[in-house]
Amino acid sequence: LAAYLFGDLAIYITAVSKSLRDVSCGVSRGGNTSNSGSNSSIPDINDPCWTTNPQLSRSDVYKIFVAVFILVLGPFAYFNVSKTKYLQMFTTLMRWTAFVTMITLSILRLTDDRQKHGHPPILDLSTAPMVFGVSVYAFMCHHSIPSLITPIENKTKVTGILAADYALIATFYLLLSFTGIFAFPEIPDLYTLAFSPGPEQGSVNIPTKIADYFLALFPVFTLATNFPIIAITLRNNIEAILSDASERIASLAPGIRRLLFPTVAILPPALVALATENLGVLVSITGAFAGAGIQYIIPCSLVWLARRKLNQFGQELNLNFQNPLESFFKHTGFIITIIVWSLVAVGLVAANFIIQAIK
């Protein structure tokens, strides 16, 4: 869990900093812009951020925003956040608005024959290993399921409600993916950056321009509000792990603990964000390695051990425990299948990184 949270924070820092950098620098080079203000060519990180100041490259400005992000939001890790109701409501509203806006702008671009569209190949196995890690990260749901199930009074409806929830999630992902790959000739690793405002054109109306800026800054609004919560969670986990592992750490003075553990929580992700701005790699590593463990291996292990313990109790007490809400996927074969799937995903991602390193 701590490894996943480390990766999560690094992704958040990188996504927010890249978004701020691209909005500030604008599009430094490239081809035709779309009706949504998008540029069909992804700028190079070594290009100057502003023509008036060629000494500052896009990479330099990105690192500046990383430092600003840590200085502004990093201190929150040293405190506690107890009530997040309104933060969660704000984040949910922003995400729904962003989803609908991205799908709408992509469809508008597809209907405009004057713009360049994407022509993805039917099959490209070279990028398949990266898909596994990204897919695991995209469907990370361990922190959401309890909040979905707990308010349900009649638990007999849990299966139908969760099925409808996952169907809705899959529908949005498919709409986002297919409209995006056919609407844009090139897509950056952070999809919202495909809508970055381009050079001013007469064909771009004010509402569309506002939508462009909203989508470009969408990660800033949502991820920045979640950063303190995740940082505090990671801080508490690190404190628990290190305190259990070492009596010397457990006996540290309260003042030292308040400074040490938050620093350990936010410093490594910040260093990773400074070292790379490749979100695809960060998401793939976090999703494939830490994410697969959290989403697949740990839940399957808990379910298998719980069922075995329950059977042992049943045999000892000569009782037959029957769960009226047992899963349709109750057979042990499904657990084995999920474990094998997670190992294949991790193996493919690891093999891809090894091949890339050798090249």
Side-chain angles (χ1 to χ4, degrees):
L1 181 61
Y4 168 75
L5 293 176
F6 269 124
D8 231 10
L9 291 181
I11 291 169
Y12 281 23
I13 298 171
T14 303
V16 171
S17 301
K18 285 188 72 171
S19 300
L20 290 172
R21 187 272 310 277
D22 279 28
V23 171
S24 300
C25 296
V27 180
S28 61
R29 63 176 176 83
N32 187 31
T33 55
S34 70
N35 68 333
S36 62
S38 304
N39 197 295
S40 63
S41 182
I42 300 173
D44 189 85
I45 60 174
N46 296 317
D47 289 347
C49 185
W50 303 287
T51 55
T52 56
N53 189 4
Q55 289 80 16
L56 281 177
S57 67
R58 297 176 67 87
S59 178
D60 296 332
V61 175
Y62 163 78
K63 293 176 181 177
I64 291 173
F65 277 120
V66 169
V68 172
F69 183 91
I70 294 299
L71 290 175
V72 173
L73 292 178
F76 285 95
Y78 295 85
F79 303 96
N80 289 314
V81 177
S82 57
K83 296 181 179 180
T84 62
K85 174 183 176 181
Y86 296 107
L87 283 177
Q88 297 299 332
M89 292 174 61
F90 172 77
T91 301
T92 301
L93 176 62
M94 297 294 287
R95 284 177 175 170
W96 276 98
T97 305
F99 286 157
V100 174
T101 303
M102 285 188 286
I103 293 171
T104 302
L105 290 180
S106 297
I107 293 174
L108 288 176
R109 181 185 173 101
L110 282 171
T111 59
D112 190 352
D113 294 333
R114 298 171 300 174
Q115 307 302 327
K116 294 181 180 179
H117 298 153
H119 301 281
I122 296 177
L123 182 66
D124 184 8
L125 294 178
S126 63
T127 58
M130 302 295 289
V131 172
F132 285 92
V134 174
S135 298
V136 173
Y137 189 82
F139 276 95
M140 185 65 62
C141 59
H142 63 280
H143 54 290
S144 301
I145 289 180
S147 61
L148 287 172
I149 296 177
T150 302
I152 301 175
E153 183 177 359
N154 185 359
K155 293 297 192 291
T156 59
K157 300 180 181 179
V158 165
T159 302
I161 292 174
L162 289 183
D165 185 59
Y166 277 108
L168 181 63
I169 294 170
T171 300
F172 267 96
Y173 272 134
L174 290 173
L175 280 172
L176 281 171
S177 300
F178 280 103
T179 55
I181 62 176
F182 287 105
F184 300 101
E186 289 183 77
I187 298 178
D189 50 10
L190 185 61
Y191 183 42
T192 54
L193 295 180
F195 301 89
S196 295
E200 294 293 339
Q201 293 183 358
S203 59
V204 180
N205 54 45
I206 297 300
T208 302
K209 204 69 175 177
I210 294 174
D212 286 337
Y213 276 104
F214 167 75
L215 290 176
L217 293 173
F218 166 69
V220 180
F221 301 140
T222 57
L223 302 185
T225 56
N226 284 340
F227 181 87
I229 301 172
I230 295 179
I232 292 170
T233 305
L234 176 58
R235 179 200 70 190
N236 294 337
N237 285 333
I238 293 173
E239 184 173 1
I241 293 171
L242 296 181
S243 297
D244 290 341
S246 173
E247 293 183 1
R248 179 176 297 181
I249 295 178
S251 61
L252 289 174
I256 296 177
R257 297 168 72 91
R258 290 196 199 99
L259 294 175
L260 175 63
F261 296 115
T263 303
V264 173
I266 62 177
L267 186 58
L271 294 177
V272 170
L274 285 173
T276 179
E277 58 177 88
N278 192 327
L279 271 175
V281 171
L282 292 177
V283 170
S284 184
I285 292 176
T286 303
F289 296 101
I294 293 174
Q295 183 158 304
Y296 295 137
I297 297 176
I298 293 176
C300 286
S301 301
L302 290 174
V303 168
W304 181 73
L305 291 172
R307 289 175 180 173
R308 190 177 70 168
K309 179 65 73 174
L310 191 63
N311 290 333
Q312 290 176 357
F313 285 148
Q315 293 174 2
E316 293 173 1
L317 302 175
N318 196 23
L319 295 173
N320 182 20
F321 292 110
Q322 186 68 28
N323 182 6
L325 302 178
E326 63 185 6
S327 171
F328 174 78
F329 307 99
K330 61 182 179 180
H331 195 277
T332 307
F334 288 108
I335 294 179
I336 297 174
T337 301
I338 294 174
I339 295 293
V340 171
W341 161 263
S342 63
L343 294 177
V344 169
V346 172
L348 284 174
V349 174
N352 180 65
F353 282 121
I354 293 173
I355 294 173
Q356 296 296 328
I358 294 175
K359 290 182 179 181

